[in-house]
């Protein structure tokens, strides 16, 4: 069962849910749709049901009769078992697959309304529907493992096979009626962990850059239909920068009026990192950006900046130059340097514990007295 939820902003916050049972159903069976809401029955003006944008059933407690069926091609409503919260569809056919919604209109001066939606799938005898190929993690670090899960739904038919493809090349198959049930077909760079692979997932170990690209799983139902469904997804293999970005400036000290020349570098990584300079957390207009090849198919990124420093940059002390490195939503790191002027160069201050100054003074007095006495005796 799968349900859809939707909250409409009019009239305040309300939660709605449309439950379709079963959500994937064999052709010729009946389906029950339940509209679940938080509105008291006495406050309902009407409850309307839609397939797509076509209304096919309405409940209006203030009218007589309270229910009304609007003809929609292929929909047969069981009026005897349908009411203010449920609609029963009789002997559904594949053309009824699609999105359904229920809309509640409240009996108030503004007539606020709330809707919820869900999907119905009608399949043939021994039908199946592959729904998703899920890759975990979505972006894979080179050398690590990846799990590819094939999500599918079967109705009244056993599984015949699940085949996995990289592009058009099959590399793994699960066939429960054969011995052994699993087969591996050689493909450069693909290492299948048989112990963790089965009818619904395949685990790849030590992935490499060559595996970036399209993967598919093809599910086939057994006799008599041998229905087939296929879903695909893309896997991206990356290498993140091993350290924070590095900033280099053309001089050690800066004062208002000086020209700041600096560069920031990051990597090696794949893809190359995007670099951005900030001064006092305000983005700096980018200068020259270079991407250099590195060993093992990696890249180094380098961003340059040139700008004049103004007194406003020093209003709160030494300006802070920061460089941020990003790889999409996968990675973000930054480094920063303070642009001190020569006369404000920070000095390392000696830190002493409480009472240490008094102890030092006492020691100095005793030593001086000892020297005076020694000089007097000689």
């Amino acid at each position: 069962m799968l349900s859809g939820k939707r909250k409409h902003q009019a009239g305040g916050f309300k939660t709605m849910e449309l439950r379709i049972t079963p959500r994937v159903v064999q052709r010729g069976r009946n389906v029950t749709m339940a509209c679940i809401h938080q509105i008291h029955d006495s406050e309902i003006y009407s409850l309307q049901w839609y397939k797509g944008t076509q209304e096919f059933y309405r409940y209006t407690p203030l009218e007589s009769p309270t229910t009304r069926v609007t003809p929609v091609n292929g929909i047969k409503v069981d009026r005897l078992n349908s009411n203010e919260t449920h609609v029963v569809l009789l002997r559904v056919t594949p053309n009824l697959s699609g999105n359904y919604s229920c809309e509640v209109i409240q009996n108030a001066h503004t007539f606020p309304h709330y809707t919820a939606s869900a999907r119905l799938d009608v399949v043939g005898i021994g039908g199946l529907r592959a729904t998703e190929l899920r890759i975990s993690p979505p972006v894979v670090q080179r050398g690590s493992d990846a799990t590819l899960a094939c999500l599918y739904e079967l109705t009244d038919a056993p599984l015949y096979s699940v085949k996995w493809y990289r592009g058009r090349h099959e590399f793994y198959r699960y066939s429960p009626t054969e011995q052994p049930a699993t087969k591996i077909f050689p493909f450069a760079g693909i290492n299948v962990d048989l112990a963790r692979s089965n009818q619904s997932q395949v685990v790849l170990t030590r992935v490499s850059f060559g595996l970036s690209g399209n993967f598919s799983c093809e599910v086939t139902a057994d006799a008599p239909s041998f229905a087939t469904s296929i879903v695909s997804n893309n896997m991206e293999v990356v290498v993140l920068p091993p350290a924070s970005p590095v900033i280099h400036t053309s001089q050690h000290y800066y004062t208002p009026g000086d020209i700041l020349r600096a560069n920031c570098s990051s990597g090696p990584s794949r893809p190359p990192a995007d670099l951005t300079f900030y001064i006092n957390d305000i983005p700096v207009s980018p200068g020259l950006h270079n991407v250099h090849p590195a060993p093992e198919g990696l890249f180094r990124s380098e961003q340059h900046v040139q700008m004049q420093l103004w007194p406003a940059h020093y209003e709160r002390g030494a300006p802070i130059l920061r460089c941020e490195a990003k790889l999409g939503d996968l990675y973000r790191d930054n480094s920063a340097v303070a642009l001190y002027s020569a006369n404000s160069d920070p000095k390392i201050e000696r830190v002493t514990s409480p009472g240490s100054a008094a102890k030092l003074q006492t020691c100095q007095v005793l030593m001086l007295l000892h020297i005076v006495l020694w000089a007097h005796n000689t």
Side-chain angles (χ1 to χ4, degrees), residues 222-245:
D222 208 337
S225 70
F226 288 104
T228 298
S229 185
I230 187 167
V231 285
S232 302
N233 202 350
N234 282 300
M235 182 167 74
E236 184 178 3
V237 182
V238 303
V239 170
L240 302 182
S244 300

Side-chain angles (χ1 to χ4, degrees), residues 25-33 56 74-82 87-93 96 120 122:
V25 62
Q26 183 179 309
R27 177 184 59 200
R29 300 289 179 87
N30 296 346
V31 172
T32 299
M33 299 185 176
F56 63 89
I75 292 183
K76 301 180 180 68
V77 176
D78 183 351
R79 299 190 69 158
L80 185 64
N81 292 303
S82 300
V87 172
V88 177
L89 304 186
L90 299 171
R91 301 181 298 280
V92 294
T93 55
L96 296 188
L120 171 69
V122 183

Side-chain angles (χ1 to χ4, degrees), residues 280 313-321 337-341 344:
N280 294 337
H313 291 130
Y314 288 81
E315 285 181 350
R316 297 184 179 180
I320 303 300
L321 179 67
V337 296
L339 305 178
Y340 291 106
S341 57
S344 65

